[in-house]
Amino acid sequence: MNNNDIMEREEIFSKVLRAGRRTYFFDVRATKADDYYLTITESKKFTNDDGSFHYKKHKIYIYKEDFSEFKDILAEMTDYIIEKKGNEVISERHQKDFKKSYEVENTLESSTNDNTHKSTESFTDVDFDDI
């Protein structure tokens, strides 16, 4: 068997999920006995100080005899997370306006120490007689 035959066997069916710095690869592969199994690969991009980058990859193999239990446990775990925390992403990395607690405290302290009340300056006075 040449290299092209090996590559064709390994590329039976694939899907890719891009999620920020992470990419997940779902690949159906074949054993030597020509049975199928699933690999899930997480690839995460890291940037070096000099601007270059590298990827770290983690791979798991899931065989047919484990599919049913794996699928059941995965569904149970994801349902649990959604039930307890909802669908909203609350990770600081996903919030563009996220400020660490000490940054918020410093901002609050500096605004309360300032004698001007900037918080009301953004409001517009409305005279309801004009309506």
Side-chain angles (χ1 to χ4, degrees):
M1 188 180 308
N2 64 32
N3 281 344
N4 288 338
D5 292 338
I6 293 170
M7 288 303 291
E8 286 178 22
R9 287 185 61 180
E10 289 198 13
E11 295 178 3
I12 296 165
F13 184 66
S14 295
K15 291 278 188 171
V16 176
L17 170 62
R18 299 193 195 298
R21 289 183 352 174
R22 294 180 315 269
T23 302
Y24 299 100
F25 298 92
F26 298 84
D27 298 303
V28 174
R29 300 188 183 266
T31 65
K32 289 180 181 180
D34 205 30
D35 201 3
Y36 290 171
Y37 64 98
L38 173 67
T39 64
I40 302 173
T41 306
E42 176 200 37
S43 178
K44 199 170 186 181
K45 185 177 183 178
F46 290 90
T47 305
N48 299 319
D49 292 337
D50 65 359
S52 64
F53 55 89
H54 67 280
Y55 294 93
K56 288 187 179 177
K57 295 182 181 182
H58 299 94
K59 185 177 286 200
I60 61 171
Y61 297 82
I62 306 164
Y63 297 94
K64 286 186 347 187
E65 60 267 22
D66 303 323
F67 283 178
S68 180
E69 287 183 72
F70 184 89
K71 189 169 91 171
D72 291 346
I73 292 173
L74 180 62
E76 180 182 356
M77 301 307 272
T78 55
D79 289 348
Y80 177 86
I81 291 169
I82 299 301
E83 177 186 319
K84 298 295 182 185
K85 295 295 181 179
N87 284 322
E88 181 183 355
V89 176
I90 57 175
S91 168
E92 66 185 63
R93 293 183 180 185
H94 292 88
Q95 295 178 5
K96 292 179 181 169
D97 60 345
F98 176 80
K99 290 186 179 179
K100 294 183 178 168
S101 60
Y102 66 84
E103 291 174 357
V104 172
E105 289 171 10
N106 289 340
T107 305
L108 289 174
E109 285 176 16
S110 64
S111 68
T112 56
N113 292 337
D114 189 1
N115 289 335
T116 61
H117 296 286
K118 294 181 181 179
S119 62
T120 59
E121 289 177 0
S122 63
F123 292 110
T124 304
D125 287 335
V126 176
D127 187 356
F128 289 102
D129 292 335
D130 293 341
I131 298 180

